[in-house]
Amino acid sequence: MFDAMPDTDGRANFLSFPSMGSLFDAQIATSNLLSLAPRSIQMPNDASTFQMTAALTKIAGAAATSVDAGIEQAGNAAILFDQRGYPVYYGIHVNDQFAKFVKDNGLTTKSAIENASDTLAFPEGIVELKSAWRVLTHENEGDTYITTWADVPSLHVVNNRIEVDRAADPRRVRLGLFAIHVVFTLKGHPEFIWSTFEHSDLNGATDLAPSAPVNPDSNGSGPATAISPFDYLLYHGGTLGTVANIAPTFSEQAAAFNEKTQRLDKGGVLPTSVYRAYPEAKPTTIEQDDDLRDLNAFMLGQFQDGKLPATDKRQFYRLVGATWLDKPEESFLLNKPFSNQPGESSDDGIVAGEDALSSLAMESFTQIEQPNCFSCHDTKRVKSVSGTVILKPLLLNVSHIFSKYVSEH
């Protein structure tokens, strides 16, 4: 599992890993900052609307994490708010091997990345962590969470949409990790193995949002009934499947946003409800994978039996699934999308594992149109908002860290 043991500042150890902002020559390098990239409209390997602010702030005193402007989701420019009206923030960290790979291959400038060899691929041992964080408002609310104090951007309404207030000082808040992608390479798998974890209760059940009872129909529509009568962090009990998982408009969110409280609490619109569209993250079945169920049960048992420390917060996170290329030696090629054919199971197609895997907190509104991590992360070219190619087809394009950087410089 991801490294959640405390670092020297008492935070989860992975918060001391290199952040995206420390990898490149034009960025600030410091281990005390959590550099969060805003996630905006992101079609398959299209960084045209990526945004990333480079102004990172560290407030003197107790160790704090800078959560700078990471609010917008993949797939659209909608901001995800939890059901209490607070925005969700996002972070990207990498391990030392990733940082070493960037340095050893001279990929620290825009020019170097643009001219990288199209045969250069990630070696084994590379790790990329994408995390989603919720605001904690009460002292005991973080008892089951990996937490950090953070400096987050102030938001305001401009031209009928919510944006980061670049002129305002950051605000210090306490955040709890409630979802994380753990992305890594193994020998023979340079395409990355994509896994995702979500916060859960003591029984291993997620508290982010419920799952639909069936997969979406052929039109991509959700159930015309309530997904669940109960409230979750991202779902309002009783919400119909037909009106959930739909990104709100900018104007709807702007009308409900209170700049003073930094929440959606002015009425007019509730935070959008989210549910898992593919109940077991596979498009051809609703049966849970036996290996996945056994693995989660085994890990939970390690904590319940006292074999792992009772203070280890990883016991409150469950593995939703993982996906990878079944035979990357045949399918991991330059300028290629990666997807199974309609109706093709992950046992038969090129994408293995949970081939409809999405994070409820990070791909909330793209679960059907872009149902898999490889829907966006492929080896095709990357274009700007005007359609100009900013990165040629590269094996490295399976990670969006390089395209994020190039799109901002």
Side-chain angles (χ1 to χ4, degrees):
M1 290 178 70
F2 52 94
D3 195 343
M5 300 306 291
D7 67 4
T8 56
D9 289 319
R11 306 167 303 175
N13 194 44
F14 77 86
L15 292 177
S16 295
F17 289 3
S19 67
M20 188 168 64
S22 68
L23 296 178
F24 307 108
D25 288 350
Q27 299 296 327
I28 299 171
T30 172
S31 63
N32 271 350
L33 300 181
L34 172 57
S35 176
L36 292 203
R39 299 163 61 92
S40 189
I41 298 173
Q42 180 186 341
M43 300 310 287
N45 223 349
D46 181 355
S48 61
T49 52
F50 279 136
Q51 305 173 49
M52 182 174 72
T53 54
L56 302 176
T57 303
K58 179 183 176 184
I59 298 177
T65 301
S66 180
V67 182
D68 189 20
I71 50 175
E72 294 177 347
Q73 281 229 342
N76 48 67
I79 298 171
L80 179 65
F81 289 84
D82 66 25
Q83 288 301 303
R84 298 172 309 154
Y86 289 102
V88 175
Y89 299 93
Y90 303 93
I92 296 178
H93 286 79
V94 300
N95 68 345
D96 289 337
Q97 287 90 328
F98 194 120
K100 184 176 185 298
F101 173 80
V102 170
K103 182 178 179 180
D104 288 351
N105 288 280
L107 301 173
T108 59
T109 65
K110 177 181 179 180
S111 175
I113 297 169
E114 291 173 332
N115 292 287
S117 169
D118 58 15
T119 61
L120 181 63
F122 288 105
E124 63 180 294
I126 296 291
V127 177
E128 184 176 328
L129 302 170
K130 298 182 177 182
S131 51
W133 302 80
R134 59 169 294 208
V135 175
L136 302 175
T137 57
H138 304 293
E139 182 61 33
N140 62 354
E141 204 172 22
D143 289 350
T144 65
Y145 286 88
I146 295 168
T147 64
T148 185
W149 282 96
D151 302 331
V152 302
S154 294
L155 308 178
H156 63 167
V157 175
V158 178
N159 296 326
N160 213 26
R161 66 180 288 174
I162 303 170
E163 295 184 353
V164 171
D165 187 349
R166 309 292 182 187
D169 292 332
R171 301 174 299 108
R172 178 166 290 191
V173 298
R174 189 172 180 232
L175 298 179
L177 178 73
F178 77 144
I180 186 169
H181 279 314
V182 181
V183 187
F184 55 96
T185 58
L186 295 177
K187 185 176 182 180
H189 284 278
E191 81 282 12
F192 283 125
I193 294 173
W194 299 79
S195 64
T196 191
F197 294 80
E198 292 175 354
H199 188 263
S200 65
D201 61 23
L202 282 171
N203 296 315
T206 181
D207 54 8
L208 269 69
S211 294
V214 296
N215 284 334
D217 62 24
S218 58
N219 296 318
S221 298
T225 57
I227 304 299
S228 171
F230 303 109
D231 290 334
Y232 290 74
L233 296 174
L234 298 176
Y235 175 85
H236 183 67
T239 302
L240 303 183
T242 51
V243 297
N245 288 358
I246 298 175
T249 66
F250 295 135
S251 58
E252 286 176 332
Q253 287 192 330
F257 185 70
N258 186 332
E259 293 185 4
K260 181 176 292 186
T261 63
Q262 294 288 293
R263 294 173 60 197
L264 295 184
D265 63 10
K266 291 174 64 176
V269 61
L270 287 172
T272 300
S273 283
V274 172
Y275 70 93
R276 184 168 297 286
Y278 293 94
E280 295 302 336
K282 292 191 175 187
T284 59
T285 181
I286 59 172
E287 299 298 323
Q288 187 179 50
D289 182 89
D290 290 342
D291 291 337
L292 178 61
R293 182 189 61 246
D294 292 345
L295 179 58
N296 276 316
F298 171 78
M299 289 305 302
L300 189 59
Q302 295 295 294
F303 293 105
Q304 294 174 339
D305 296 341
K307 296 177 181 178
L308 290 173
T311 56
D312 192 329
K313 299 296 182 62
R314 288 178 296 181
Q315 65 186 296
F316 297 105
Y317 297 84
R318 74 176 184 102
L319 176 64
V320 178
T323 188
W324 60 93
L325 296 185
D326 185 38
K327 298 178 180 179
E329 68 278 8
E330 298 176 5
S331 59
F332 186 56
L333 303 173
L334 196 65
N335 200 27
K336 294 291 183 181
F338 306 120
S339 63
N340 293 336
Q341 297 299 314
E344 188 176 43
S345 75
S346 58
D347 293 329
D348 301 319
I350 66 171
V351 180
E354 282 64 49
D355 55 329
L357 180 65
S358 295
S359 168
L360 290 173
M362 288 183 258
E363 294 93 27
S364 311
F365 308 123
T366 61
Q367 296 181 62
I368 297 175
E369 294 83 1
Q370 300 170 41
N372 183 274
C373 300
F374 291 112
S375 299
C376 287
H377 296 264
D378 56 36
T379 59
K380 298 178 70 176
R381 64 185 182 180
V382 182
K383 297 181 292 183
S384 71
V385 68
S386 64
T388 302
V389 176
I390 61 172
L391 277 184
K392 63 185 179 181
L394 293 170
L395 296 180
L396 296 180
N397 286 347
V398 289
S399 171
H400 286 169
I401 283 182
F402 296 112
S403 53
K404 287 177 189 286
Y405 175 73
V406 170
S407 69
E408 287 295 313
H409 293 83

